[in-house]
Amino acid sequence: MSVGEPIAAQARPGRGVRIEARELTRRFGSHVALDGVSLTVEPGEAFGLLGANGAGKTTFIRLVAGLLIPSEGHLEVDGISPATSPARVQARIGFVMETSRLYPEQRVRGFLRFIAGARGLSRPEAVRAVEATIERFRLAPVATRLIGNLSKGFQQRVSLAHAFLHDPPLLIVDEPTGGLDPVQQREVQEILRSLRGQRTLILCTHDLNEARKLASRVAVLREGRLIADGLTQDVLGEGAVLELFRGPDEHRV
Ligand code: ATP
C-alpha cells in the first residue's frame, strides 16, 4: 500500500475499540484544558486529532488511557470507564512512546522480548509475538543492533513495535513522524496506513498532510473546545484549514 493512495471516504468496519466522549471536561486548577468535548470514534476508524499547541489533544488521550480523571462528563472505551477501570482499558491500548524513552543500551530483539514478558506473554508466545512484530515493522535488518545506535526512523519503528506487541485493538500515536527526514516519514506513514481498518487508530498531529494521508476522520480542538469533526476531506478541504487553526487573537483583528 502506498502513501500516495487516496484515503477511503469512510472508515472500513473492522477490529478495534469504540470510544465515546460526552461533554468531557478536564480542568487543571482554574484552567480548562478540555471543555465539554463530545465525540465518538468507531471500531477500526483511523481518527486524527488536530490542534495547535496547548489545544487539549494530549489531555484527551490521557483521559482515554485512564491516566487522568475527567472533571466532568462521560467517557467510555468499549463500554468501560477508563477512570474507574484503567487497567482494563490500558490492556486494550498500545501507546507509541517517545523514542527518547526507549532503552538505548538494549538490542532491538532483546528489548521487545523484555516488553513481551513484562506484558505477561509466556516465553513461546513472546518469541512468536516478537518475531511477527519484527517482520511487520521491517526491523529484521537491525534486530541485533543497539537501539541507541539506530537512526531516528528505525527508533520510531521500534517504538511502534513496542506499542503493537500485544496486538492491542487501539493504537494511540502522538506526532509519529516529528523529527524524521522525508524518507523516514514516508516509511512510518506506510506502516501506519497498513494497520488501518484492523484496529482503531488515534493519531495526534500538527501536520495536516499527515492527517490527510492517515486519517479517515479528523476532529480539531482549539483551546479545549471541539471546533470541527468530520470526514478528513471535508474538514481539511481547501480554505477551511487556516481558519481552523487561527488563534483567538487573530479572530479579534
Ligand atoms: P501540544 O501539541 O503542545 O502537545 P496539546 O494539544 O496536547 O498540546 P495539552 O497538553 O492537552 O495540549 O494541554 C492543554 C492545556 O492544558 C495547555 O494549556 C496545558 O498547559 C494545560 N495542561 C496540560 N496538562 C497540565 C497539567 N498537568 N497541569 C496544568 N496544566 C496542564
Side-chain angles (χ1 to χ4, degrees):
M1 189 181 288
S2 93
V3 167
E5 274 181 76
I7 56 169
Q10 302 282 345
R12 282 169 284 168
R15 279 188 60 210
V17 302
R18 183 172 195 274
I19 300 166
E20 188 175 359
R22 285 201 306 271
E23 294 295 320
L24 192 62
T25 294
R26 171 67 204 204
R27 293 188 201 87
F28 294 103
S30 61
H31 180 72
V32 187
L34 211 61
D35 192 358
V37 167
S38 297
L39 59 85
T40 304
V41 182
E42 297 295 344
E45 194 162 50
F47 176 76
L49 193 55
L50 305 177
N53 292 117
K57 306 180 294 294
T58 308
T59 301
F60 180 80
I61 59 176
R62 291 182 73 203
L63 287 164
V64 168
L67 301 172
L68 282 175
I69 307 284
S71 305
E72 281 165 35
H74 180 83
L75 179 63
E76 278 183 2
V77 177
D78 271 353
I80 305 166
S81 160
T84 54
S85 304
R88 285 180 66 204
V89 171
Q90 284 160 14
R92 289 166 162 75
I93 298 178
F95 249 126
V96 177
M97 60 205 284
E98 290 167 34
T99 53
S100 59
R101 288 174 56 207
L102 294 171
Y103 293 82
E105 73 290 353
Q106 288 209 29
R107 295 181 194 276
V108 172
R109 181 175 276 116
F111 169 69
L112 294 175
R113 287 217 183 142
F114 164 73
I115 296 294
R119 292 195 186 144
L121 273 66
S122 68
R123 194 168 158 74
E125 282 171 343
V127 170
R128 199 157 24 85
V130 167
E131 294 314 310
T133 309
I134 283 176
E135 194 184 323
R136 182 187 283 271
F137 293 96
R138 303 174 208 160
L139 286 166
V142 298
T144 56
R145 301 256 313 266
L146 289 176
I147 292 173
N149 291 345
L150 300 180
S151 67
K152 212 164 163 15
F154 268 115
Q155 288 188 359
Q156 186 63 333
R157 284 199 230 170
V158 174
S159 177
L160 280 163
H162 153 276
F164 206 78
L165 210 46
H166 58 301
D167 199 10
L170 170 60
L171 201 60
I172 297 179
V173 188
D174 199 356
E175 299 290 343
T177 58
L180 301 188
D181 71 35
V183 173
Q184 293 168 337
Q185 278 182 14
R186 192 181 166 89
E187 285 172 354
V188 168
Q189 287 169 353
E190 277 183 6
I191 289 171
L192 288 170
R193 274 181 73 92
S194 74
L195 305 177
R196 287 186 354 159
Q198 301 169 38
R199 57 211 21 90
T200 307
L201 174 72
I202 298 185
L203 165 76
C204 289
T205 184
H206 299 110
D207 183 340
L208 303 183
N209 280 328
E210 184 157 275
R212 288 189 183 103
K213 285 174 188 159
L214 298 178
S216 50
R217 211 182 107 215
V218 294
V220 184
L221 292 172
R222 183 163 62 207
E223 297 183 319
R225 295 206 184 91
L226 187 68
I227 59 163
D229 180 7
L231 293 178
T232 306
Q233 66 265 41
D234 296 339
V235 176
L236 299 183
E238 294 276 318
V241 176
L242 277 180
E243 191 57 31
L244 289 173
F245 283 83
R246 231 177 271 272
D249 294 341
E250 290 159 89
H251 279 281
R252 257 182 247 129
V253 180

